[in-house]
Amino acid sequence: MPWNKNDYPDSMKNLDKDVREKAIEITNALLNEGYKDGKAIPIAIDRAKMAVKKD
């Protein structure tokens, strides 16, 4: 299921807006690569936090 800024997993609810938007983008990319939600979401959150910190 593709996620967007209005419909995203509960685990992203408390993230800063910038981190959440990046996590949604990364989650969708991982889902397109064949990852399941349960694996894609935590990976995306970690990567988003690192990406937004660097910016």
Side-chain angles (χ1 to χ4, degrees), residues 2-3 6 8 10 15 18 23-24 30-32 41 47-48 54:
W3 300 100
N6 297 316
Y8 49 84
D10 287 339
L15 297 175
D18 293 340
I24 291 167
L30 291 171
L31 292 174
N32 285 336
I41 293 167
R47 289 184 185 175
K54 292 179 182 177

Side-chain angles (χ1 to χ4, degrees), residues 5-42:
K5 64 181 177 179
N6 297 316
D7 182 26
Y8 49 84
D10 287 339
S11 56
M12 295 182 186
K13 184 171 109 176
N14 294 320
L15 297 175
D16 290 337
K17 181 183 175 216
D18 293 340
V19 175
R20 182 174 48 248
E21 289 178 359
K22 188 68 173 174
I24 291 167
E25 177 186 326
I26 295 169
T27 300
N28 287 333
L30 291 171
L31 292 174
N32 285 336
E33 292 178 13
Y35 283 78
K36 302 288 183 197
D37 277 349
K39 183 120 178 159
I41 293 167

